[in-house]
Amino acid sequence: MAEFLLLCPALIAVITAFVLMIKFRKTNKPEKISLVFAVIALVFGISFICFSLFPFEYTGEKGLDYIGQAMAWAMIMNAIQISLFVAYLSFAIAGTVYAFKAFKDKDKRKKGILALVVAWVCGVLIGSIITVNAISDMNNKKNISVDVKDVAVTNDSEGKAAVVFTLELHNGSKRSITYLSSVYEEVTQYDLEIYHTPVTDLLDESDEDIKKVEPGESITIRRSYRLNDADGPVRIVCRSYDGKVIYVDSEFRPADS
C-alpha cells in the first residue's frame, strides 16, 4: 500500500498528460501545443537529471534502530525519481504526438521539429545516465567479495542450538558501502529458511553490518541463526539484492565444525 501511495505522483503525471492531450486534440495550433508539452517535459527531464547526479542522501542518526528510517527515506527518494522520469516521458510523448500533427502543415513543420528536439534532448542524456549508472552499479557489485571465515555451533540466548557464521566483506568497489545495504543473506536447512537468533557472546558486539566500509577496506561480521537440526547441513547464500551477483553459496555441516 505504501509503495502505491509513493507512486501516485507518477500516475497523476500520466493522467494529466493524457487528459491534456484529449482536451487539445482538436486544436488548430498543434505546433504551439507541442512546444508547451516539450518545455514541460524539458523541465521534468532536467529535474530528473539533477536528482540522479546529486541525490539527497540520508544523513540521519546512525545505528540499527534507524535502519527503518533510512529505508523509508530511500523509498521516498526512489519514488520521486521514478515520478520525475514518468512525468518527463509522459509529456515528451504528448509533445511528440502534437509535433507530428504539426508536420502536416509546411508552415508549422519547423516548430514541430523544434518541439521534438526540446522534448527529447533530455531523453538522450537520461538514457546515457541510466546506462552508465547500470554499468557502474554492476561493476561495483562485482568488486565486492564475501568470504566465510569460520562456522561455529553454539547455543542461543534461549539455550537452543545455533550456528554462527564469521564473514569477511571486502570492498573492492569505488564507493563506500555497508554490509547490510550491499549483501542479501539467506541461510537454510533442508531448503527451509532458518532465522537470526541472539547469541550471548555476540550481544556486546557493535553493529558491524551497518558500518561504512570505504573502498579497499574489509570488515568482519558475525551472524547467528537458530538451527532446526543441530546435526543437519546448513547452506548460506550471500548475493546482491538484485540476485545478479552471488558472493557465497556454500553448505556446511555443523557436526563437523
Side-chain angles (χ1 to χ4, degrees):
M1 184 63 180
E3 290 84 353
F4 175 77
L5 292 176
L6 288 173
L7 293 177
C8 276
L11 183 61
I12 291 172
V14 173
I15 294 173
T16 301
F18 183 73
V19 169
L20 290 174
M21 286 177 65
I22 294 175
K23 181 178 180 179
F24 296 111
R25 69 187 183 280
K26 295 182 180 180
T27 182
N28 57 357
K29 296 180 179 179
E31 76 285 0
K32 291 185 178 181
I33 301 299
S34 66
L35 276 173
V36 170
F37 281 139
V39 170
I40 295 174
L42 181 64
V43 171
F44 281 119
I46 292 174
S47 299
F48 174 83
I49 291 171
C50 291
F51 200 89
S52 298
L53 295 178
F54 308 102
F56 297 97
E57 296 183 355
Y58 180 76
T59 57
E61 298 290 342
K62 307 297 183 182
L64 193 61
D65 294 337
Y66 295 90
I67 290 177
Q69 293 182 18
M71 292 177 65
W73 176 270
M75 287 177 61
I76 293 171
M77 293 300 103
N78 189 49
I80 292 173
Q81 196 166 12
I82 291 174
S83 297
L84 289 173
F85 176 74
V86 170
Y88 162 73
L89 195 61
S90 299
F91 282 96
I93 291 173
T96 301
V97 170
Y98 281 90
F100 279 115
K101 287 186 177 182
F103 287 170
K104 297 177 182 179
D105 189 330
K106 291 183 179 180
D107 296 332
K108 301 175 181 178
R109 192 167 296 170
K110 288 183 179 179
K111 288 187 177 180
I113 294 173
L114 177 61
L116 282 178
V117 172
V118 172
W120 293 105
V121 64
C122 283
V124 176
L125 295 175
I126 290 172
S128 300
I129 289 173
I130 292 174
T131 301
V132 170
N133 285 346
I135 295 172
S136 176
D137 183 61
M138 180 55 68
N139 286 337
N140 282 325
K141 289 174 181 175
K142 288 183 177 179
N143 286 316
I144 295 171
S145 63
V146 180
D147 294 318
V148 179
K149 294 298 184 181
D150 184 59
V151 182
V153 177
T154 184
N155 292 323
D156 63 14
S157 56
E158 296 181 4
K160 304 292 185 179
V163 61
V164 177
F165 289 96
T166 301
L167 308 171
E168 183 180 81
L169 168 71
H170 177 71
N171 181 15
S173 71
K174 296 181 179 180
R175 65 184 181 190
S176 300
I177 63 171
T178 66
Y179 178 87
L180 190 63
S181 64
S182 302
V183 180
Y184 177 80
E185 167 192 312
E186 184 176 54
V187 181
T188 58
Q189 270 195 316
Y190 307 113
D191 296 326
L192 297 176
E193 188 172 2
I194 58 175
Y195 299 98
H196 173 76
T197 185
V199 171
T200 304
D201 293 343
L202 306 183
L203 292 179
D204 295 331
E205 291 192 0
S206 57
D207 301 322
E208 298 294 321
D209 55 353
I210 60 174
K211 281 189 177 180
K212 186 176 290 186
V213 184
E214 300 297 336
E217 294 183 349
S218 299
I219 193 169
T220 299
I221 297 121
R222 292 206 290 172
R223 311 285 275 180
S224 54
Y225 289 84
R226 177 174 290 182
L227 295 170
N228 293 329
D229 179 356
D231 299 319
V234 181
R235 181 186 179 192
I236 181 171
V237 177
C238 296
R239 59 175 175 81
S240 60
Y241 278 89
D242 59 9
K244 293 181 179 179
V245 181
I246 304 296
Y247 303 117
V248 174
D249 187 353
S250 301
E251 187 172 85
F252 301 90
R253 189 171 292 276
D256 298 333
S257 301

